[in-house]
Amino acid sequence: MTQNEFETTALTLVLGGTGKTGRRVAERLTARGVPVRLGSRSGRPPFDWWDRATWAGAIRGVSAAYLSFYPDLAVPGAAETVRSFTELAVRGGVRRLVLLSGRGEEEAQLAEQTVQDSAAEWTILRASWFNQNFSEGQLLAPLRDGELVLPVGDVGEPFVDADDIAEVAEAALTGDGHVGQLYELTGPRLLTFAEAVGEIAEAAGRDIRFRTIPVEEYAAVLAEQKLPADVSALLTYLFVEVLDGRNAQLADGVRRALGRQPRDFRDFARDAAATGVWSG
Ligand SMILES: NC(=O)c1ccc[n+]([C@@H]2O[C@H](COP(=O)([O-])OP(=O)(O)OC[C@H]3O[C@@H](n4cnc5c(N)ncnc54)[C@H](OP(=O)(O)O)[C@@H]3O)[C@@H](O)[C@H]2O)c1
């Protein structure tokens, strides 16, 4: 099969296909005529990472898959779940896997290894924190309310844009030049959370503050938001343990994969602000 045939005939499963990266991956594939199956609890057929009975139906007839785990590859047991899914997928005829992963998380790196060890053609996208956490994720509601409080201080994070991740995923799923590559995907600048919120406030043209709080106080903030216990535990782990400076360096994955610089946070903030997402 030529590369062109792979592109136009391969049914591609996009897990997390309505989420921050998956939605963008699915849109890009659809725009170039690649048949896409959205894999999530609301998909047809439904796919649930935590209900293995749903996996076979999602895989049927699929040649390539974008793996976005939920809630996060950092959670205990994620790697084992990804391993089981990968084995089933390869047995079911899936020939290419593109895994979305995270930086500096032991469990995520174990999950990467299981995909690398499989018989499939693999590409790993090891991404830093997404810009879109501020516009589509958990951080949106507090920003709208005018103040974000987190148990994180002056550590720099090279926030990456979900559109850049999706473009790399599209390239890896449809082209042949990315097989066996592990791309560390970051943005072009290190920003503290205070600096990121400052750039958002400037773009939104309103007063939005950031405040560092002790982790004990953060537990009360999470309780107020009535988040499930596992989500609260995950957020605390990410802010307190992973955001300790271990990921405070830029990587060249976007340039290696796409031959261009990654999108800057300021451009993201300008475009997101124009949609009114941070209006009070
Ligand atoms: N956010 C970041 O900054 C970041 C950074 C690096 C890596 N990552 C990785 O990115 C992945 C996704 O994180 P995200 O925060 O961006 O989330 P997201 O993709 O925005 O998550 C939402 C998506 O997951 C689906 N979903 C929810 N529960 C599911 C379940 N039980 N089974 C299957 N699908 C489910 C949702 O659809 P339904 O509601 O229809 O199920 C939706 O499509 C994680 O594996 C994480 O490790 C995230």
Side-chain angles (χ1 to χ4, degrees):
M1 180 179 276
T2 67
Q3 179 180 330
N4 197 40
E5 280 169 327
F6 192 95
E7 281 190 37
T8 52
T9 60
L11 175 59
T12 299
L13 174 66
V14 179
L15 298 184
T18 56
K20 295 181 205 72
T21 62
R23 175 171 62 79
R24 291 170 165 86
V25 174
E27 282 169 6
R28 285 178 166 277
L29 294 175
T30 302
R32 65 191 293 164
V34 177
V36 167
R37 176 180 293 155
L38 300 183
S40 81
R41 295 165 306 169
S42 55
R44 287 176 200 281
F47 171 83
D48 190 335
W49 277 110
W50 303 102
D51 178 3
R52 292 178 187 218
T54 65
W55 293 4
I59 289 165
R60 197 159 298 127
V62 165
S63 304
Y66 175 70
L67 307 189
S68 175
F69 187 73
Y70 196 86
D72 197 291
L73 279 183
V75 303
E80 179 52 31
T81 307
V82 169
R83 188 182 63 75
S84 301
F85 179 80
T86 296
E87 281 173 7
L88 192 74
V90 171
R91 274 207 308 277
V94 179
R95 292 181 287 120
R96 181 170 295 189
L97 295 171
V98 175
L99 175 72
L100 173 64
S101 181
R103 297 172 95 205
E105 298 167 353
E106 195 182 334
E107 189 75 17
Q109 268 70 86
L110 287 173
E112 292 173 3
Q113 196 59 53
T114 69
V115 173
Q116 290 170 318
D117 289 344
S118 77
E121 299 173 343
W122 58 263
T123 307
I124 308 291
L125 314 185
R126 188 188 285 171
S128 53
W129 269 64
F130 305 163
N131 295 345
Q132 280 73 12
N133 292 333
F134 294 97
S135 57
E136 300 172 22
Q138 306 277 357
L139 310 184
L140 174 59
L143 289 170
R144 273 202 182 125
D145 291 343
E147 186 179 55
L148 178 64
V149 296
L150 292 174
V152 61
D154 277 344
V155 64
E157 173 68 14
F159 297 101
V160 66
D161 202 276
D163 278 312
D164 282 345
I165 298 171
E167 194 172 333
V168 178
E170 175 197 5
L173 286 163
T174 59
D176 285 336
H178 307 278
V179 173
Q181 295 292 324
L182 188 160
Y183 293 121
E184 276 211 52
L185 304 177
T186 75
R189 274 193 296 151
L190 286 174
L191 288 163
T192 65
F193 276 75
E195 287 166 342
V197 171
E199 294 197 9
I200 286 170
E202 195 183 327
R206 54 177 291 237
D207 182 27
I208 308 176
R209 290 176 305 278
F210 175 78
R211 190 160 53 89
T212 299
I213 55 169
V215 65
E216 301 76 31
E217 205 179 309
Y218 187 55
V221 172
L222 291 171
E224 224 170 82
Q225 292 177 7
K226 298 193 170 51
L227 292 174
D230 55 343
V231 177
S232 296
L234 171 64
L235 287 171
T236 306
Y237 166 73
L238 292 175
F239 284 118
V240 177
E241 289 198 39
V242 182
L243 279 162
D244 63 354
R246 73 184 71 172
N247 293 331
Q249 65 258 310
L250 307 180
D252 65 354
V254 172
R255 196 179 49 69
R256 276 207 298 128
L258 303 177
R260 63 161 175 80
Q261 287 303 311
R263 192 169 187 230
D264 193 80
F265 190 86
R266 201 178 295 280
D267 298 327
F268 152 75
R270 180 200 58 221
D271 292 350
T275 69
V277 71
W278 294 308
S279 301

